[in-house]
Amino acid sequence: MNEHRSVSIIMIEDDEGHARLIEKNIRRAGILNDIKHFTDGTSALDYLFKHAEGPALNGPALVLLDLNLPDMSGTDILTKIKAEDSPVKRTPVVVLTTTDDKIEIQRCYDLGCNVYITKPVNYESFAQAIRQLGLFLSVIQVPDAIAD
């Protein structure tokens, strides 16, 4: 990815089983990047925008975002990340959710998500999808945050 700084992966996923499966299969794809896991939107947004190690203050990241969270919707988080004045608006966002509603998919792309993946119900299909995502993560280029 970036030669000078490793891209951190920020996973916003409230289902612990899904989170473990995602991490395990990203690792299986050979991705060794740091993965920060958040189970709610509030703490994830705080990290993204304010934390010293977060992307607003410390360089490139990629967000894996579930839409169904306990405290706010994933689309609210996506809206904040991709806002015109957001320091992290260039951060790629991969929506990873069980929702395959066409309206919701269009809405996420309209809000600026980069990739929308529906979580297959079948374990092996899900594992395979995440391994493929890992291969994708190994080759994409991620921009730094926007400097003031």
Side-chain angles (χ1 to χ4, degrees):
M1 287 185 181
N2 274 1
E3 265 73 60
H4 62 299
R5 262 189 306 195
S6 178
V7 173
S8 59
I9 297 169
I10 298 162
M11 176 170 43
I12 310 170
E13 167 65 76
D14 65 324
D15 182 311
E16 290 293 344
H18 285 177
R20 277 195 301 277
L21 186 65
I22 290 166
E23 183 158 0
K24 185 169 86 175
N25 284 289
I26 285 176
R27 297 292 180 229
R28 270 194 191 148
I31 303 294
L32 304 173
N33 303 49
D34 190 32
I35 298 176
K36 293 262 186 279
H37 177 216
F38 298 93
T39 54
D40 65 88
T42 307
S43 58
L45 285 171
D46 189 61
Y47 179 82
L48 280 161
F49 287 96
K50 297 180 185 140
H51 196 278
E53 290 176 18
L57 303 172
N58 191 42
L62 178 130
V63 175
L64 301 178
L65 176 63
D66 183 22
L67 293 184
N68 309 306
L69 297 165
D71 60 338
M72 65 178 71
S73 79
T75 49
D76 290 341
I77 296 169
L78 183 58
T79 301
K80 287 180 170 60
I81 292 172
K82 296 296 185 177
E84 196 51 47
D85 60 348
S86 164
V88 294
K89 74 177 177 190
R90 290 187 190 141
T91 299
V93 176
V94 176
V95 171
L96 208 56
T97 188
T98 49
T99 311
D100 66 355
D101 174 55
K102 291 205 175 346
I103 306 288
E104 192 69 1
I105 294 168
Q106 287 172 346
R107 187 161 164 234
C108 286
Y109 278 112
D110 287 346
L111 290 171
C113 95
N114 300 80
V115 181
Y116 190 106
I117 298 173
T118 304
K119 292 179 193 169
V121 180
N122 170 299
Y123 173 89
E124 198 37 59
S125 302
F126 187 45
Q128 185 59 35
I130 299 301
R131 280 197 292 275
Q132 288 167 350
L133 175 66
L135 295 173
F136 171 70
L137 297 182
S138 70
V139 295
I140 64 165
Q141 293 290 319
V142 175
D144 283 333
I146 298 163
D148 288 334

